[in-house]
Amino acid sequence: MDPSYPYWVRQLHSPPNPKSKFASQIQDPPGFTSSTTGKRATLAKQQGRKPPTPEETDILKVKKSWEVALAPAKQLPMNAIMMYMSGNSLQIFSIMMVFMLFKNPVQSLLQINQAFARYETPRTRSKMWVVKAVYVLMNLVALALGIWKVNGMGLLPTTRSDWLAWETQREPRERAVFAF
């Protein structure tokens, strides 16, 4: 290679030096022997891993279904912070945030059987109703967070002045007339 190139470029393009005979005389570090690692690898390949029993598979499926059921609870703090930070004014950002806060739990509640279909077997069906109930509860908490946000924005009719169209006009008991 041309000596005008920098040292690192020449070193990058040149092959590494072969190991010296002194390097082969250096002992392996304690706990490492190069001859036994090959034997262990071949033994592991020969033995393989035994397939899980149906009971172990069911236990894993129930654990995974609990992870799916608790996933909405893990999103609650993030959604609460986002709702707090978006403010109470009516802006496109806050309206879209509230829309997504309502859309996702409703969509999850409508697709509850599809969410747990791959975890449900005849043996796990008795345990799945509790998992599904927790899933529904967590999504209802997310909906409650959305209702809290809509109330904070002033969009829920919770005061008497919001219902004035249905109020009847009061009849006064007395009338005051101005006299000169």
Side-chain angles (χ1 to χ4, degrees):
M1 181 163 267
D2 187 17
S4 64
Y5 287 111
Y7 175 71
W8 65 272
V9 174
R10 285 181 283 164
Q11 199 174 28
L12 181 69
H13 290 292
S14 63
N17 295 333
K19 289 191 175 186
S20 66
K21 60 182 179 180
F22 298 113
S24 61
Q25 295 174 354
I26 298 174
Q27 294 180 356
D28 290 333
F32 176 82
T33 54
S34 59
S35 60
T36 58
T37 56
K39 290 179 186 176
R40 287 184 186 166
T42 56
L43 284 175
K45 286 181 185 176
Q46 289 173 355
Q47 291 176 350
R49 197 175 92 183
K50 66 176 185 169
T53 63
E55 291 81 19
E56 292 173 342
T57 304
D58 290 341
I59 290 171
L60 286 174
K61 285 183 178 184
V62 170
K63 284 182 180 179
K64 282 293 188 184
S65 65
W66 273 108
E67 288 179 16
V68 171
L70 294 176
K74 293 177 183 175
Q75 295 174 358
L76 285 175
M78 178 196 62
N79 284 337
I81 290 171
M82 288 173 61
M83 291 300 115
Y84 175 76
M85 296 301 251
S86 66
N88 289 335
S89 61
L90 289 176
Q91 298 173 359
I92 190 69
F93 181 72
S94 58
I95 291 171
M96 291 195 51
M97 295 291 293
V98 170
F99 173 74
M100 292 302 289
L101 192 61
F102 279 110
K103 179 186 151 272
N104 290 337
V106 169
Q107 199 172 26
S108 296
L109 289 173
L110 293 175
Q111 298 174 352
I112 187 168
N113 287 329
Q114 295 165 350
F116 293 101
R118 59 183 164 177
Y119 305 118
E120 195 164 354
T121 62
R123 288 187 298 262
T124 60
R125 189 162 289 146
S126 63
K127 298 175 185 175
M128 290 305 260
W129 74 271
V130 177
V131 175
K132 288 180 181 181
V134 169
Y135 186 71
V136 169
L137 180 69
M138 293 302 129
N139 280 304
L140 290 177
V141 171
L143 282 174
L145 182 65
I147 291 172
W148 168 76
K149 178 63 178 177
V150 170
N151 185 38
M153 293 171 79
L155 297 176
L156 284 183
T158 55
T159 61
R160 186 173 178 187
S161 63
D162 294 326
W163 302 96
L164 285 180
W166 293 275
E167 287 280 325
T168 58
Q169 188 175 2
R170 292 186 192 174
E171 290 294 323
R173 290 186 185 175
E174 297 179 1
R175 292 198 186 259
V177 180
F178 180 72
F180 290 101

